[in-house]
Amino acid sequence: MPTFGGIGAPASSGCTACAADAGADPRVARVRELLAAKNVLLAPMAGVTEAPFRGICKRFGAGLTYTEMVSATGLHHSPDSPTARKLLSYHPAEVPYGVQLFGADPTMMAEQAAAILARYPDTVALVDINMGCPVAKVANKGEGAGLMRTPERAAEVVAAVVAAVDVPVTVKFRKGFGPEDDTAVEFALAMEDAGVAAVAVHGRTRAQFYHGEADWDVIARVKAALTVPVIGSGDVLTAAAAKAMLDETGCDAVMAARGAQGNPWIFREARALIDHGETLPPPTWYERIEMAREHAAALVEFSGERAVVRMRKHVAWYIHGMPGASHVREKVNACRSHAELDRLLTEYRAYLEGL
Ligand SMILES: Cc1cc2nc3c(=O)[nH]c(=O)nc-3n(C[C@H](O)[C@H](O)[C@H](O)COP(=O)(O)O)c2cc1C
């Protein structure tokens, strides 16, 4: 039976004005409450963090989860397209979750944020605005990380969305745009002035995309400058790194992105380390294969047989470094059906058990 939430929920209430003092703003208090519950979050990743995977990560102890980034322009033109429906679907285990929107038109962003809240009045915790996407076709249009080059426009987008919804509005941005840019602190202050309830900072510039080491110092500087909660992102690849970022930057929460690929255990490990100072053993080969099988079954239930193609990268992440992984990867890439993929993974499990 489908276990995913979809479109068609009843209409929501209207919006309320935000308090002038960020510290007293009920929306800021709400984000603090969400982050305090569990401070290692699953970062949004387009093409990776679909609802089934978010549900798995939540079960392993992830704090807040987010949808993949959704285009406000796309929603405006095709609000009921299969893509829009999938992107806005949620796993029941992750409620309440964040919806991430991207776009640079304040009116369209506000309209689409309000439309989403009208459809999902009881499940969406917050609206996050993507100001970090580095992809040329997004950033060159002034959207995503492109908004870091036009802070006034970014502030207009935030103010419009804040006025349109009654849930917290947050932004996720980078250290800066160009290779030498370090504009995150002033950008963050401008976003706070515009009414955001929290910010997430990825410690790389747009020019870096995902290369090089993330600068955690910029996260610490943004945290020191702001009143609203700050979420750190960049190189949270292990439970130890999650704890280290919290300790070293003083930020309120951290996000795991690539560290969660094929590795939902990172959240369980991070919770054990942060809450009890305990280092858990890594998942066994058996657990990793069984998780790949579970993930595949859930993704196929969510999006049909074609999910087998989208599972290829996930399987590669799950089995990375295991004996015979490259050979299995080749076979996975040739799989045409879920039954075939599941059989292959079961045979691989039996092979490993015999080693
Ligand atoms: C495949 C992929 C897709 C991503 N998609 C998004 C996205 O939709 N929205 C967003 O804000 N960030 C996105 N990011 C950025 C991550 O959320 C995160 O900030 C970044 O990867 C740094 O964290 P890491 O070094 O731990 O991977 C994406 C990253 C990756 C690797």
Side-chain angles (χ1 to χ4, degrees):
M1 280 297 99
T3 50
F4 302 99
I7 284 172
S12 80
S13 55
C15 63
T16 55
C18 78
D21 172 13
D25 186 334
R27 292 196 265 194
V28 176
R30 174 69 181 132
V31 177
R32 277 194 207 291
E33 189 188 349
L34 287 166
L35 300 183
K38 277 181 185 157
N39 56 5
V40 184
L41 322 180
L42 175 64
M45 280 183 285
V48 178
T49 53
E50 291 157 311
F53 184 59
R54 301 200 302 267
I56 290 171
C57 290
K58 198 77 191 184
R59 194 173 88 220
F60 277 86
L64 195 63
T65 48
Y66 297 79
T67 66
E68 302 164 72
M69 63 182 213
V70 190
S71 160
T73 311
L75 287 178
H76 174 79
H77 291 299
S78 319
D80 285 321
S81 70
T83 306
R85 282 170 176 270
K86 287 284 176 223
L87 286 171
L88 292 174
S89 294
Y90 60 90
H91 190 287
E94 66 175 329
V95 175
Y97 55 94
V99 168
Q100 193 186 61
L101 273 179
F102 76 96
D105 179 330
T107 308
M108 203 180 283
M109 288 288 280
E111 275 171 12
Q112 293 312 315
I116 290 168
L117 263 296
R119 278 180 168 171
Y120 301 97
D122 303 319
T123 56
V124 173
L126 57 85
V127 174
D128 184 64
I129 304 174
N130 181 317
M131 300 196 186
C133 178
V135 175
K137 70 176 185 213
V138 173
N140 291 347
K141 273 199 291 187
E143 302 177 336
L147 279 165
M148 291 201 75
R149 292 206 285 192
T150 55
E152 303 78 14
R153 170 57 76 98
E156 281 168 27
V157 170
V158 166
V161 178
V162 168
V165 298
D166 53 10
V167 295
V169 176
T170 61
V171 290
K172 182 164 176 285
F173 54 88
R174 288 178 174 249
K175 179 181 178 182
F177 193 87
E180 305 305 325
D181 288 354
D182 187 352
T183 53
V185 171
E186 58 187 281
F187 191 80
L189 287 167
M191 297 303 101
E192 188 173 63
D193 276 353
V196 294
V199 301
V201 193
H202 175 190
R204 290 186 180 86
T205 63
R206 184 266 173 171
Q208 284 180 285
F209 275 63
Y210 301 102
H211 306 302
E213 214 175 284
D215 176 2
W216 288 5
D217 180 57
V218 72
I219 299 166
R221 286 187 280 117
V222 170
K223 173 62 192 167
L226 260 59
T227 305
V228 300
V230 174
I231 303 163
S233 172
D235 291 342
V236 175
L237 300 176
T238 60
K243 183 172 182 337
M245 184 187 273
L246 286 165
D247 292 346
E248 288 173 28
T249 69
C251 66
D252 300 271
V254 301
M255 287 176 161
R258 287 170 295 181
Q261 292 175 344
N263 185 25
W265 297 275
I266 190 173
F267 299 104
R268 190 176 67 182
E269 292 166 3
R271 291 269 46 100
L273 190 63
I274 294 164
D275 297 339
H276 309 294
E278 197 185 329
T279 302
L280 295 182
T284 62
W285 294 340
Y286 179 89
E287 286 176 299
R288 287 162 65 182
I289 293 182
E290 288 306 286
M291 186 54 66
R293 292 181 63 215
E294 178 190 334
H295 189 161
L299 204 57
V300 167
E301 179 190 315
F302 182 64
S303 4
E305 282 288 318
R306 68 180 187 282
V308 167
V309 175
R310 291 218 304 284
M311 260 319 282
R312 287 176 183 168
K313 58 178 182 280
H314 291 288
V315 174
W317 290 324
Y318 281 113
I319 68 173
H320 181 74
M322 284 162 48
S326 60
H327 179 63
V328 174
R329 224 171 31 239
E330 272 171 37
K331 288 186 154 183
V332 166
N333 291 348
C335 279
R336 292 282 164 266
S337 70
H338 176 225
E340 210 183 328
L341 175 64
D342 198 57
R343 200 163 45 242
L344 177 66
L345 289 171
T346 312
E347 283 167 11
Y348 185 37
R349 191 188 66 196
Y351 161 77
L352 291 169
E353 279 166 356
L355 288 183

